Structure formats: C-alpha cells, structure tokens
C-alpha cells in the first residue's frame, strides 16, 4: 500500500514537472508550479509513511536519479480523428469487438437511457435550440464520421 502511494505521488510530481517545463504562459506556469510544490509535499509524506510502515527507503522504489525527462505534450488531433474514423462503432461482444450494434448492446442502451437519447446527445440538441448553431468546432475539417458532422457545415 505504501509503495503504491509513493509511486502515485512520484508520477504526479513528474506530470506537473512536465507541465511546468512546457508551459509558455506565465500565469498558467505559476499554476503548474503551485501544484508541483503541493505534490512534492505529498511525495515527502508518502516517503515518510513508507519508511515508518514498511521499513524501506523510497529510493528502493523510485531510484536516486530524480525525475525522468519531462513528458512531451504534442498535438494529437490527427490521432484522435483516426480513432474516431476507424473505431467509433466498435462495441464489445464476449472476448472481441464487433461493429454491429448487437442485441445485448441495444438492450443495455435502452436500460441506461430509458428510451431517450443519451444525455450527451440531449446537450447537443439543447445547444442547437438555444444558440441556433452547432456545438462542434471542426478546425481540422469535417468530422470523420458523416453522421456526426456539424449541421450546416464546419464552424471554426
């Protein structure tokens, strides 16, 4: 339990450190720095708990080299568009996946939504009614799935 806590806090420190290293906006950078300081305090507490309750040193778990190189955050719109185009209609059936909405999946959807549209689709409809336009912003071109494209064309 204490080892898991330590590695959890260590990974949070690494993520906030990565955010901090890549942020260019000074206001946002200050937020990442604040959160990194809080997570470092959590990491210290986790290290103390590991010592006290497991009798082990944190370096046995996370090493002595410090944090790894910062995680690189890059645009992923192309990757996500590819996933939408190729996997949006996959549903789980037994040990595999199928593209057809099989009976069990349709039954589950009926139970979940009581014959109504899913809440996410209701929000989209309410947005259309209230603002008269589409909520989707298609900055990279039309949605990969034709049925999900912005009504009335792309809005940037």
């Amino acid at each position: 339990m204490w080892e898991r806590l330590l590695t959890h806090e260590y990974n949070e420190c690494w993520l906030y450190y990565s955010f901090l290293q890549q942020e260019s906006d000074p206001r946002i950078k200050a937020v990442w720095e604040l959160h990194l300081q809080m997570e470092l305090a959590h990491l210290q507490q986790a290290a103390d708990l590991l010592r006290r309750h497991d009798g082990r040193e944190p370096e046995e778990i996370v090493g002595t080299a410090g944090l790894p190189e910062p995680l690189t955050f890059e645009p992923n719109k192309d990757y996500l568009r590819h996933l939408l185009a190729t996997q949006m209609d996959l549903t789980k059936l037994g040990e595999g996946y199928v593209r057809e909405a099989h009976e069990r999946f349709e039954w589950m959807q009926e139970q979940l939504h009581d014959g109504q549209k899913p809440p996410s689709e209701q929000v989209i409809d309410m947005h259309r009614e209230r603002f008269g336009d589409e909520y989707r912003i298609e900055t990279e071109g039309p949605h990969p799935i034709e049925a999900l494209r912005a009504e009335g064309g792309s809005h940037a």
Side-chain angles (χ1 to χ4, degrees):
M1 176 171 76
W2 305 114
E3 182 177 330
R4 283 194 309 265
L5 176 63
L6 181 80
T7 56
H8 174 86
E9 296 302 336
Y10 179 85
N11 283 315
E12 285 190 325
C13 289
W14 178 55
L15 284 173
Y16 282 118
Y17 174 72
S18 297
F19 295 149
L20 179 64
Q21 294 304 305
Q22 287 192 268
E23 185 58 58
S24 58
D25 184 327
R27 295 172 303 132
I28 305 301
K29 196 167 190 155
V31 172
W32 296 136
E33 187 169 16
L34 172 65
H35 285 276
L36 175 58
Q37 294 304 317
M38 289 188 284
E39 291 307 329
L40 287 168
H42 295 166
L43 180 60
Q44 183 62 49
Q45 291 290 320
D48 291 344
L49 289 167
L50 181 77
R51 284 186 194 100
R52 186 175 332 137
H53 297 291
D54 274 4
R56 300 187 318 172
E57 289 298 315
E59 293 79 11
E60 295 173 41
I61 312 301
V62 297
T64 59
L67 294 172
E69 287 297 313
L71 183 63
T72 303
F73 298 97
E74 299 173 348
N76 62 359
K77 288 181 182 179
D78 288 338
Y79 172 69
L80 293 174
R81 288 174 63 79
H82 169 74
L83 288 180
L84 288 170
T86 60
Q87 299 182 24
M88 181 76 165
D89 58 348
L90 290 178
T91 62
K92 184 88 169 112
L93 181 61
E95 297 296 314
Y97 292 90
V98 297
R99 295 205 179 273
E100 309 83 41
H102 49 83
E103 186 177 293
R104 188 189 60 158
F105 176 79
E106 290 174 349
W107 179 84
M108 178 60 106
Q109 293 301 306
E110 175 69 29
Q111 302 306 304
L112 286 172
H113 304 297
D114 195 27
Q116 304 293 314
K117 282 186 173 182
S120 57
E121 290 297 321
Q122 292 178 29
V123 168
I124 293 166
D125 290 344
M126 288 183 337
H127 181 95
R128 283 188 199 116
E129 289 173 18
R130 183 171 179 190
F131 299 106
D133 67 356
E134 185 64 49
Y135 83 101
R136 293 178 175 96
I137 299 175
E138 296 177 331
T139 57
E140 308 303 308
H143 194 288
I145 307 290
E146 187 174 346
L148 297 177
R149 290 182 182 158
E151 290 183 7
S154 181
H155 295 73

